Amino acid sequence: MEDAGADWLHIDVMDGLFVPNLTLGAPVIKCLRPSSKLPFDVHLMIENPIRYIGDFARAGADIISFHLEAKSDPRETIDAIHAAGCRAAVAIKPNTCARAVLPLLDVVDMILVMTVEPGFGGQKFMADMMHKITRLRKACDETGREIDIQVDGGITPETIAVAAQAGANVFVAGSAVFSAPDAAEMVRQLRTAASDA
Ligand code: ZN
C-alpha cells in the first residue's frame, strides 16, 4: 500500500447506528495492517465504542478516536484505550460545544473537531468550527500537556491553512487526496499549506 507521504492512515469506522453508513470493522483493519508501516488512526463513528476497543487495538490501531456523543462513558473509554496500549482521542460533531471536552483534557491525547457532519465523504468544510479549535488550542496549551487537535472533513490546500491558523496540528484529508491525479503531490501541497499558515 502506497502511503503518498502521509504521516498516519486515518480509517473511518461506521456502524450504521451512530451514523447511517456502514463501513468496515476490526477484521478489515487487521488485514490492512501488514500492508503499511504508518500509524493507524482509527476514527470510531460507532454507538458503543468501549465494547470494541480491544478488538481495534488487537487489529493494529495505534490511535483510537471515539465520539463524545456516543453512548460509552468518555473517561472509561479513554482508560480502556490507554490500557490497550493506544493513544486516545475524543471526537466532537459540529453541534457539540468545545466546552464539552474540557473535563477530559487531563487524560486525552488528541481532540478531533469534525468540520463536516460525520458519516459521509465529500462534504464542504465548515469554517464556523474554527472558534472551537481556537478555544481548545488555548485550553490545551494551558494544561501543559501535549494534546493534538485534529480536523476531519473538507480539508483542501485552502481549508487546511484556515484550520492550522486556528490551532489545529493534525489534518485528515480524504477526497482531496483520493481524487487528486497525484496523491503524493497533493499531500505535499497540503503539508506546505499547513506549515506556511
Ligand atoms: Zn474520520
Side-chain angles (χ1 to χ4, degrees), residues 10 12 43 45 112 114 152 172:
H10 181 87
D12 283 329
H43 177 190
M45 287 172 261
L112 165 49
M114 292 297 301
D152 187 4
V172 178

Side-chain angles (χ1 to χ4, degrees), residues 8-94:
W8 297 355
L9 186 68
H10 181 87
I11 303 170
D12 283 329
V13 173
M14 307 183 192
D15 64 354
L17 293 168
F18 184 75
V19 290
N21 271 348
L22 187 62
T23 57
L24 48 83
V28 175
I29 293 175
K30 193 176 178 184
C31 292
L32 291 171
R33 189 62 279 187
S35 306
S36 174
K37 289 191 171 61
L38 296 181
F40 277 11
D41 173 31
V42 176
H43 177 190
L44 301 179
M45 287 172 261
I46 69 177
E47 199 69 43
N48 280 302
I50 198 164
R51 194 184 289 174
Y52 302 98
I53 298 305
D55 290 346
F56 284 103
R58 282 187 295 274
D62 297 284
I63 303 131
I64 299 180
S65 310
F66 67 96
H67 271 268
L68 196 60
E69 305 87 356
K71 285 184 178 154
S72 305
D73 177 81
R75 206 164 260 277
E76 286 175 18
T77 308
I78 291 169
D79 286 348
I81 295 171
H82 285 155
C86 300
R87 294 182 71 215
V90 175
I92 52 172
K93 296 207 272 188

Side-chain angles (χ1 to χ4, degrees), residues 17-197:
L17 293 168
F18 184 75
V19 290
N21 271 348
L22 187 62
T23 57
L24 48 83
V28 175
I29 293 175
K30 193 176 178 184
C31 292
L32 291 171
R33 189 62 279 187
S35 306
S36 174
K37 289 191 171 61
L38 296 181
F40 277 11
D41 173 31
V42 176
H43 177 190
L44 301 179
M45 287 172 261
I46 69 177
E47 199 69 43
N48 280 302
I50 198 164
R51 194 184 289 174
Y52 302 98
I53 298 305
D55 290 346
F56 284 103
R58 282 187 295 274
D62 297 284
I63 303 131
I64 299 180
S65 310
F66 67 96
H67 271 268
L68 196 60
E69 305 87 356
K71 285 184 178 154
S72 305
D73 177 81
R75 206 164 260 277
E76 286 175 18
T77 308
I78 291 169
D79 286 348
I81 295 171
H82 285 155
C86 300
R87 294 182 71 215
V90 175
I92 52 172
K93 296 207 272 188
N95 284 335
T96 302
C97 293
R99 185 168 16 101
V101 189
L102 301 182
L104 300 170
L105 295 189
D106 61 326
V107 283
V108 78
D109 302 301
M110 181 167 77
I111 301 163
L112 165 49
V113 176
M114 292 297 301
T115 41
V116 298
E117 280 299 333
F120 300 93
Q123 300 178 64
K124 199 169 170 290
F125 179 80
M126 299 163 95
D128 51 343
M129 295 297 122
M130 295 307 103
H131 69 279
K132 279 192 210 177
I133 293 173
T134 309
R135 177 163 183 195
L136 287 168
R137 174 47 70 204
K138 188 167 176 287
C140 289
D141 289 349
E142 282 167 6
T143 66
R145 298 183 64 239
E146 268 188 38
I147 304 172
D148 290 320
I149 300 183
Q150 181 179 46
V151 282
D152 187 4
I155 290 294
T156 64
E158 291 74 39
T159 61
I160 200 170
V162 175
Q165 269 163 11
N169 67 311
V170 180
F171 311 93
V172 178
S175 303
V177 171
F178 291 105
S179 66
D182 180 346
E185 173 55 27
M186 178 52 70
V187 172
R188 272 193 294 276
Q189 277 184 38
L190 288 164
R191 196 183 291 284
T192 305
S195 54
D196 288 353

